[in-house]
Amino acid sequence: MSLAPADPAPARRPFAIDPLVVAFLALVALVFGMPWLKPVFAALFPGQERPLFEQDSFWSLTLAHIGLVAISSAAATLVGVAGGIFVTRRSGREFRPLLETVVAMGQTFPPVAVLAVAVPLLGFGPAPALIALALYGLLPITEATVAGIESVPASVREAARGIGMTKRGILFGVELPLAAPVVLSGVRTSVIINIGTAAIASTVGAKTLGLPIIVGLSGFNTAYVLQGALVVALLAIVTDLAFDRLGRHLGSWKG
């Protein structure tokens, strides 16, 4: 994935072969139809006495996984966009190196290490996972916000000032709307990364699609690992396609 704006919208496809619709239906079918796939996994893994993960439903795990990613991504978006705006203002430019260092550390610091530090302070559950995921998702959003705002031509800002717009009006009426496709590409990258990373949250007691993966790894049950990984992968594909669709919509609006 790139931080560049999405390409212009392609020709409209028939509904039946729309990749987003097909991927979404495949995800729904897999989440709700997993119990009916038990004979398939039993055939694929004949050595497993329990070839299907049944400790929790994949529907509830998927909802919990989406909730964890949504909350952490919303926090990362709020902080990342606000930080990006601040360092592109005259009063905040001197803090740009500091912000870049902090957000870079947030992504280079392994989420597992953040969980290890946060659990003694916050206990087991979703709280330490939310902190780790929010920190991990800050870098692409902040970088995209700065790049998007800086890509707005100076002549456009001058024209806005020429018609009497205030600094706030230029930011919210000109800069952010024009930067929106680039900012969205950063949010897209952050969310997709966090969908995969959220699986490790089950190591600290959070309910996610990582639960069958971790139980499978600890119990040498490859069928469980495959079931969790398939749903996580399809969820990431559906989300990526949805962001792609939204990016094309913003790109066509901007054009």
Side-chain angles (χ1 to χ4, degrees), residues 25 97 108 112 132 210 237:
L25 292 177
T108 54
V112 174
I237 291 172

Side-chain angles (χ1 to χ4, degrees), residues 14-196:
F15 179 79
I17 61 170
D18 186 314
L20 176 57
V21 175
V22 172
F24 178 75
L25 292 177
L27 174 63
V28 172
L30 185 62
V31 169
F32 288 101
M34 193 69 81
W36 283 275
L37 293 177
K38 187 173 183 177
V40 176
F41 286 106
L44 291 174
F45 304 95
Q48 298 293 341
E49 293 183 5
R50 298 177 178 177
L52 185 70
F53 182 80
E54 296 175 305
Q55 295 180 20
D56 216 327
S57 74
F58 278 90
W59 169 239
S60 64
L61 292 176
T62 302
L63 284 182
H65 196 99
I66 291 173
L68 193 65
V69 172
I71 294 172
S72 60
S73 297
T77 300
L78 185 64
V79 175
V81 171
I85 292 173
F86 175 65
V87 298
T88 55
R89 306 299 97 182
R90 181 175 299 176
S91 59
R93 282 176 187 160
E94 62 181 296
F95 295 98
R96 180 169 176 175
L98 175 62
L99 178 69
E100 290 175 342
T101 301
V102 170
V103 297
M105 287 177 61
Q107 192 166 57
T108 54
F109 207 65
V112 174
V114 177
L115 291 175
V117 173
V119 164
L121 300 174
L122 302 173
F124 286 88
L130 286 170
I131 293 174
L133 293 176
L135 287 175
Y136 204 58
L138 269 178
L139 181 62
I141 297 174
T142 305
E143 285 187 336
T145 303
V146 173
I149 291 177
E150 289 185 342
S151 69
V152 177
S155 59
V156 175
R157 293 191 181 90
E158 288 301 323
R161 291 190 190 97
I163 61 174
M165 293 183 72
T166 63
K167 291 182 179 179
R168 183 185 296 271
I170 294 173
L171 173 63
F172 289 102
V174 177
E175 291 179 306
L176 285 180
L178 290 176
V182 180
V183 176
L184 183 68
S185 69
V187 176
R188 173 184 178 178
T189 302
S190 175
V191 171
I192 299 304
I193 290 174
N194 273 351
I195 287 176

